[in-house]
Amino acid sequence: PKFSAVANRAVQGADMAWARDPNSFDILKSMLGAHFDPKKHRSGVDFAFALGIRKADDLIGPVLARLIRERNESAPIVGLNVSGLIYNDPNAAYSRYGFKADYREIIHGFVHWLMQETDARLVLIPHVMSDPQYTESDYAACEKVAAQIAEDYQSRVFVSPSTLDQNQVKWLISNMDWFCGTRMHSTIAALSRGVPTAAIAYSDKTKGVFETCGQAEEVYDPRDLDTLAVVDGLRSSYQRRNELQQSLKTSLPNVMARADEQLSVISNCILDLSKRKIG
């Protein structure tokens, strides 16, 4: 691939550069060429793994707050992040990203199956909090999805508010029994808290993040798969949620340890640079 001259100069001139997954690290090394230095150029994990949580049970409504407090294995709580970018502008999915599958039909098909065939509660969780009038708004997309669900199921459907900050959204996601996201950082919020997770992903970067947690098979790419194949994949992932949770318990400690080490190395580098400048 051809990298822009600006990006090349940025990484070559940086005192330290990190990649968040092995594939990204290979790209970083290609950008650096002969300038690659293993002491300065490192492979790590996405910083979002280290993001903390803050309770928001007073902001999500009393019914949903009670469901979270009284978790019931027979009625799992499912979190679904819907990308406003794709849902609100379906033409972009085809023209800009080369989708083979129909994103809206994926969301509607999976939600219909979940409501009809399971006793799960569904929480539609926006992760990009743009004003609802903008195409980017996940909240507007989630509201549209909720509105098309049959009246018989409306008591089992919730839309989380657009007023939650990143720590509060991560807290909410951490309380799901299974989660599916299109926004990559919504899936990191789930993975980092040990929540069994699937992704509807149209960027290779998501696959790299899931690979770091041993969950690469839970990424369903609408550029490569048709609509039915993605819906079937999500159904299978949901049904395997207990197995996936056990897998995450095995892989996650190493990922979180890497995140802690990465923060430590970067902070020490910044301190050393500050001392040199002061000196």
Side-chain angles (χ1 to χ4, degrees):
K2 295 181 180 179
F3 305 105
S4 73
V6 173
N8 284 337
R9 285 198 302 272
V11 294
Q12 289 174 14
D15 290 284
M16 183 168 280
W18 289 74
R20 63 184 164 197
D21 60 74
N23 182 57
S24 298
F25 189 51
D26 288 339
I27 294 172
L28 178 64
K29 288 192 285 187
S30 297
M31 294 173 72
L32 288 160
H35 297 277
F36 175 73
D37 179 347
K39 293 180 180 178
K40 294 170 56 178
H41 308 123
R42 310 281 293 271
S43 179
V45 299
D46 194 292
F47 268 130
F49 276 95
L51 182 69
I53 63 171
R54 183 166 59 257
K55 287 185 69 174
D57 49 347
D58 58 333
L59 300 176
I60 60 174
V63 177
L64 180 55
R66 189 184 74 250
L67 285 174
I68 287 175
R69 286 195 306 271
E70 302 170 359
R71 299 277 282 278
N72 183 345
E73 288 185 11
S74 65
I77 305 176
V78 167
L80 179 62
N81 162 251
V82 182
S83 168
L85 177 66
I86 304 300
Y87 189 92
N88 295 327
D89 185 8
N91 290 330
Y94 299 105
S95 62
R96 291 174 60 184
Y97 304 113
F99 275 32
K100 179 188 295 186
D102 185 317
Y103 183 71
R104 285 187 176 181
E105 289 305 311
I106 291 170
I107 298 297
H108 297 165
F110 176 71
V111 167
H112 177 75
W113 172 81
L114 191 74
M115 293 291 99
Q116 192 170 57
E117 301 296 333
T118 81
D119 292 322
R121 273 62 173 169
L122 175 65
V123 186
L124 295 156
I125 304 178
H127 204 260
V128 170
M129 308 299 189
S130 304
D131 188 288
Q133 68 178 311
Y134 296 119
T135 303
E136 281 272 354
S137 173
D138 288 6
Y139 183 75
C142 289
E143 287 274 274
K144 291 173 186 174
V145 172
Q148 63 81 42
I149 296 172
E151 185 65 33
D152 290 349
Y153 305 128
Q154 284 292 328
S155 64
R156 292 163 51 198
V157 179
F158 305 85
V159 179
S160 70
S162 61
T163 52
L164 303 185
D165 66 23
Q166 66 276 13
N167 303 90
Q168 293 167 327
V169 172
K170 186 168 182 174
W171 168 82
L172 178 60
I173 291 173
S174 74
N175 281 286
M176 300 297 104
D177 293 300
W178 181 83
F179 181 79
C180 174
T182 303
R183 302 286 191 180
M184 185 185 72
H185 282 96
S186 74
T187 63
I188 293 176
L191 291 169
S192 64
R193 301 295 296 183
V195 177
T197 304
I200 305 169
Y202 52 96
S203 170
D204 294 339
K205 63 185 182 181
T206 304
K207 189 74 173 278
V209 166
F210 273 67
E211 284 174 344
T212 64
C213 299
Q215 305 294 303
E217 298 305 313
E218 305 314 309
V219 178
Y220 302 94
D221 193 332
R223 299 172 302 177
D224 300 325
L225 302 172
D226 63 24
T227 302
L228 183 58
V230 178
V231 174
D232 285 346
L234 299 181
R235 288 167 54 182
S236 172
S237 182
Y238 170 77
Q239 291 167 332
R240 291 180 288 107
R241 61 190 181 278
N242 292 334
E243 172 191 331
L244 297 178
Q245 188 173 49
Q246 292 304 313
S247 174
L248 273 173
K249 282 183 179 179
T250 300
S251 61
L252 197 54
N254 178 59
V255 176
M256 300 308 294
R258 290 180 66 194
D260 288 343
E261 179 192 13
Q262 181 176 322
L263 286 168
S264 176
V265 171
I266 292 172
S267 62
N268 286 336
C269 177
I270 293 170
L271 285 172
D272 289 344
L273 290 170
S274 299
K275 289 175 183 177
R276 270 188 252 163
K277 286 182 179 179
I278 293 171

